[in-house]
């Protein structure tokens, strides 16, 4: 009997090339979080290279856990794991609230470890609670992730130093605009593999264009070693602060919700539907990968939705292809020179590409909201209030200035506050006190249906 396409092992060359394609599709997403957090801390080029390499390395390990699996850990689907965008805003909030910036990464690492371990223990129970996280919640949160990150791209577009006289100059903004245009042209007029790596090619093209303007610095590459290992706890032993831990637990809930929805979608695409057992195993891989990641100086890991789209487009369903991609990520993490290449990219170039990258995250959230049953007044209200709560830290950064510093770590993260608001409002409007109508809560991968009191739920239309 032939193996299921998910368990198929392709010829070596095809395995390598298709595995590299998965890396190309996710690379920009993996390196963006360490760049944002590292810039907020003020890391040197060398330290930023180290942090980026560590995140590549831990993404590879997490992908191994998810695709190959051990014991009851791993969905064993073509599921790519990497640094989650959901953690970026809360981590930058932690950085902002830390007086000594050298303590920021240890505080983040400590919070991620605790959140990861708690998530691992909660995985089998969380897989049973999917009904409490319908598209109205997940879509709102994913939208907030993108919206919260867009100001970062706008800041990058203005230049590397906010205090410099040329900050926001025409040169910097022009480079950002050219990079954005390159990405858009590549997405519009190319196909297949080239289209998938449009952001990466845009970064390369923008960097080359920036050279004559004197804003490209190749020093990080010259200073980087060819071979290196992400030394455990390079930035210091983890520190455990309650407010930071609570903030990252919220992020873990968001990540587990996203991963659950992604597993359900991927299971349908590869013709191996994800049941409760598969979801629990996949969540264990996510959370264990996240708990181990700080050991090697990495951040929280979660599923990469763009790679699910790649599986659907290429029709290559083998989990071993994705595992090969994980191997490339590990090798890149062990080669500081490869990791340092991203440090060469000028900030305005990153800003131009970031508009597409972060905007795509917001658009993904809007796509999820389309399935949220917004014809229902209750769901419209949930989205409206949750988005408003989540956007407060973006539009009014000093709104919570009178609150204690520990509370502001959570309140200054629109992701965290928006997620909490969405979950609580969904419970209040769609669950509590509804009696027999409690079934009128959609599955995370199904569209909302208007129900009458006298009818059973109709199946969702594809």
């Amino acid at each position: 009997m032939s193996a299921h396409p998910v368990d198929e092992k392709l010829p070596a060359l095809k395995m390598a090339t298709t595995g590299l394609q998965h890396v190309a599709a996710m690379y920009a997403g993996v390196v963006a979080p360490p760049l944002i957090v590292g810039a907020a801390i003020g890391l040197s080029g060398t330290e930023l290279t180290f942090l980026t390499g560590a995140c590549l390395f831990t993404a590879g390990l997490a992908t191994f856990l998810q695709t190959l699996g051990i014991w009851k850990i791993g969905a064993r689907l073509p599921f790519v794991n990497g640094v989650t965008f959901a953690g970026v805003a809360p981590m930058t909030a932690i950085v902002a609230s830390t007086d000594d910036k050298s303590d920021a990464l240890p505080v983040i690492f400590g919070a991620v470890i605790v959140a990861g371990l708690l998530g691992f223990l909660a995985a089998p129970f969380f897989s049973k609670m999917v009904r409490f996280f319908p598209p109205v919640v997940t879509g709102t949160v994913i939208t907030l992730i993108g919206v919260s990150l867009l100001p970062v791209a706008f800041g990058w577009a203005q230049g590397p130093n906010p205090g410099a006289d040329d900050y926001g100059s025409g040169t910097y903004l022009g480079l950002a605009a050219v990079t954005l245009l390159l990405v858009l042209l590549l997405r519009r007029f190319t196909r297949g593999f080239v289209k998938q790596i449009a952001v990466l090619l845009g970064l390369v093209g923008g960097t080359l264009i920036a050279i004559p303007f004197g804003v490209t610095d190749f020093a990080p590459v010259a200073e980087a070693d060819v071979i290196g290992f992400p030394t455990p706890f390079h930035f210091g032993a983890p520190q455990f602060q309650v407010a930071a831990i609570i903030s990252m637990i919220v992020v873990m809930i968001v990540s587990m919700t996203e991963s659950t929805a992604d597993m359900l979608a991927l299971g349908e695409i590869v013709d191996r539907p994800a049941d409760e057992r598969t979801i629990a195993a996949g969540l264990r891989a996510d959370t264990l990968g996240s708990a181990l990641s700080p050991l090697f100086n990495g951040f929280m890991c979660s599923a990469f939705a763009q790679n699910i789209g790649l599986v659907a487009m290429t029709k290559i369903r083998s989990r071993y292809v994705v595992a090969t991609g994980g191997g490339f990520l590990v090798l890149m993490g062990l080669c500081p020179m490869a990791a340092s290449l991203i440090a060469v990219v000028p900030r305005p170039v990153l800003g131009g590409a970031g508009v597409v990258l972060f905007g795509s995250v917001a658009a993904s959230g809007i796509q999820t909201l389309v399935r949220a049953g917004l014809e229902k007044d209750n769901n419209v209200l949930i989205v409206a209030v949750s988005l408003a709560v989540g956007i407060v830290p973006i539009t009014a950064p000093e709104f919570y200035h009178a609150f204690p510093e520990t509370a502001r770590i959570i309140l200054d993260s629109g992701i965290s506050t928006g997620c909490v608001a969405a979950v609580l409002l969904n419970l209040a409007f769609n669950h509590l006190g509804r009696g027999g109508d409690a079934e009128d809560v959609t599955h995370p991968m199904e569209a909302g249906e208007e129900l009458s009191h006298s009818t059973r739920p109709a199946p969702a239309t594809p």
Side-chain angles (χ1 to χ4, degrees), residues 205-230:
T207 301
L208 294 175
I209 293 170
I211 292 175
F213 295 93
V215 295
T216 305
D217 181 14
F218 290 95
V221 177
E223 296 169 2
D225 296 326
V226 177
I227 298 175
F229 185 79

Side-chain angles (χ1 to χ4, degrees), residues 22-36 51-60 63 80-85 88 91 298-304 306-307 329 332-333 342 357-358:
H22 275 284
V23 173
M26 73 178 294
Y27 184 83
V30 173
V31 300
L35 279 174
I36 298 170
L51 186 63
T52 303
C55 287
L56 290 167
F57 179 77
T58 53
T63 299
V80 177
N81 274 44
V83 181
T84 176
F85 270 109
V88 174
M91 287 191 291
F299 298 139
M300 188 177 291
C301 295
S302 184
F304 266 53
Q306 59 263 48
N307 291 81
L329 288 170
M332 292 170 71
I342 195 64
L357 191 63
F358 304 153

Side-chain angles (χ1 to χ4, degrees), residues 237-316:
Q239 299 178 24
F240 303 95
Q241 294 185 5
V242 174
I245 290 171
I246 293 172
S247 181
M248 296 313 292
I249 286 174
V250 172
V251 174
M252 178 57 73
I253 293 171
V254 173
S255 296
M256 292 171 76
T257 304
E258 287 183 56
S259 289
T260 298
D262 287 339
M263 276 184 270
L264 290 166
L266 183 60
E268 294 298 324
I269 289 170
V270 301
D271 196 28
R272 180 178 279 180
D275 56 16
E276 187 179 299
R277 184 188 216 170
T278 301
I279 291 171
L283 292 178
R284 286 192 190 97
D286 266 11
T287 53
L288 181 61
S290 295
L292 294 176
S293 187
L295 173 65
F296 300 105
N297 313 284
F299 298 139
M300 188 177 291
C301 295
S302 184
F304 266 53
Q306 59 263 48
N307 291 81
I308 295 175
L310 188 59
V311 171
M313 184 190 75
T314 62
K315 302 294 190 293
I316 297 175

Side-chain angles (χ1 to χ4, degrees), residues 41-93:
I41 295 171
L43 294 181
S44 66
T46 303
E47 293 296 311
L48 196 58
T49 293
F50 183 93
L51 186 63
T52 303
C55 287
L56 290 167
F57 179 77
T58 53
L61 295 183
T63 299
F64 282 153
L65 269 179
Q66 196 65 265
T67 54
L68 303 179
I70 53 171
W71 185 57
K72 296 181 179 180
I73 301 169
R76 292 170 174 82
L77 291 170
F79 208 46
V80 177
N81 274 44
V83 181
T84 176
F85 270 109
V88 174
M91 287 191 291
T92 53

Side-chain angles (χ1 to χ4, degrees), residues 366-452:
I366 294 170
Q367 285 179 323
T368 303
L369 286 174
V370 169
R371 297 186 271 103
L374 293 185
E375 70 278 1
K376 303 176 185 179
D377 290 341
N378 284 352
N379 285 348
V380 171
L381 194 62
I382 293 167
V383 174
V385 175
S386 300
L387 284 177
V389 170
I391 290 173
V392 166
I394 304 169
T395 56
E398 298 301 316
F399 190 82
Y400 299 111
H401 74 276
F403 285 73
E405 282 295 320
T406 50
R408 289 191 63 179
I409 291 178
I410 300 169
L411 295 173
D412 283 344
S413 166
I415 312 293
S416 300
T417 54
C419 177
V420 171
V423 170
L424 293 179
L425 289 171
N426 180 58
L427 285 172
F429 284 95
N430 288 334
H431 288 271
L432 300 179
R434 297 197 58 192
D437 288 342
E439 291 182 10
D440 186 7
V441 180
T442 56
H443 188 282
M445 296 308 294
E446 294 173 354
E449 297 281 340
E450 279 292 349
L451 306 180
S452 68

Side-chain angles (χ1 to χ4, degrees), residues 35 39-40 151-177 210 214-216 345-352:
L35 279 174
V152 174
F154 301 149
W156 282 348
Q158 296 178 78
N161 184 7
D165 293 336
D166 62 351
Y167 187 69
S169 68
T171 299
Y172 288 146
L173 296 180
L175 286 172
V215 295
T216 305
V345 181
R347 290 289 168 81
V349 173
L350 281 171

